[in-house]
Amino acid sequence: MSKRVAILISGGGSNMVRLVESMVGDHPARPCLVLANDPGAGGLAKASALGVPTAVVDHRLFGPDRAGFEAELTRVLVAHGADILCLAGFMRVLTEGFVTRWQGRMLNIHPSLLPKYRGLHTHARAIAAGEAEAGCTVHEVTAELDGGPVLGQARVPVLPGDTPETLAARVLDQEYRLYPMILRRFAHGQRGRADL
Ligand code: GAR
């Protein structure tokens, strides 16, 4: 039986679109839900246009009550029968309770070559450090921020004159190749690392 994949987004959802489009034919998974923490997330309309159910759990309604926010996330995810969670530009830090509940079933894509540049502003930091290479990483999510086991990476050169925007665009093209490839492997039960 196909694995059911929920994709969590906060913004435009361009990675989400690539993941949804990849889950066809003999792929071992199918999308069951696109879940946003922001009702203004542009990816929601894209998911609907692709025929994927959507839901919003607005973190702002929970104020400082992270446990309450995450309990509602889990309720919605369980209601949609999610087996695998893909974080795709989901910009909320998840607490240990949520991560433990979904551990071994949750992936994230991060726009750096982890363990370098965890957190935000990865491209600006890579340029400022004079890196010759940048890239992206798909990893399993653990309670350590951007710290779970690496499932795959893709690399790009940092070119003379790059700005955070030009580098981000070059990395994003690789994100679109890497994340679907790793999700397919993961849904097949393959946990070994595979780089592009
Ligand atoms: C992507 O570049 C993703 O790697 C990054 O946000 C962007 C989302 O774009 N994720 C993080 O920075 C996670 N810390 P998208 O909404 O168009 O897929």
Side-chain angles (χ1 to χ4, degrees), residues 2-193:
S2 284
K3 293 273 179 4
R4 295 172 64 83
V5 175
I7 305 169
L8 280 68
I9 64 169
S10 298
S14 66
N15 273 287
M16 174 276 295
V17 169
R18 270 53 178 206
L19 291 175
V20 168
E21 288 175 345
S22 75
M23 285 184 263
V24 293
D26 67 354
H27 197 290
R30 290 290 182 271
C32 69
L33 175 69
V34 169
L35 177 55
N37 64 297
D38 178 350
L44 289 167
K46 295 176 193 166
S48 294
L50 289 164
V52 181
T54 62
V56 176
V57 179
D58 186 346
H59 69 276
R60 287 166 300 195
L61 301 180
F62 294 84
D65 179 13
R66 280 174 177 266
F69 168 63
E70 292 179 351
E72 181 61 8
L73 284 182
T74 289
R75 191 192 66 73
V76 173
L77 291 164
V78 169
H80 286 80
D83 301 307
I84 294 173
L85 311 189
C86 288
L87 308 185
F90 186 71
M91 304 308 276
R92 304 302 298 170
V93 173
L94 297 164
T95 70
E96 189 163 0
F98 184 88
V99 171
T100 302
R101 167 76 174 73
W102 295 97
Q103 193 145 345
R105 298 190 285 154
M106 179 161 42
L107 308 183
N108 180 43
I109 188 155
H110 183 75
S112 78
L113 296 173
L114 290 173
K116 286 188 169 179
Y117 309 116
R118 297 177 183 188
L120 299 176
H121 311 300
T122 55
H123 304 305
R125 288 157 63 205
I127 291 169
E131 298 282 1
E133 273 192 326
C136 52
T137 303
V138 176
H139 64 95
E140 280 192 55
V141 178
T142 61
E144 187 186 354
L145 179 68
D146 299 328
V150 171
L151 295 167
Q153 290 186 326
R155 316 175 89 82
V156 301
V158 179
L159 299 178
D162 258 339
T163 64
E165 291 72 28
T166 59
L167 181 55
R170 193 174 309 119
V171 171
L172 207 47
D173 279 340
Q174 296 305 308
E175 295 185 33
Y176 298 159
R177 298 177 59 220
L178 181 69
Y179 210 175
M181 187 266 278
I182 298 295
L183 173 60
R184 175 185 278 264
R185 289 172 52 85
F186 193 83
H188 270 302
Q190 297 168 281
R191 299 292 186 269
R193 177 170 171 161

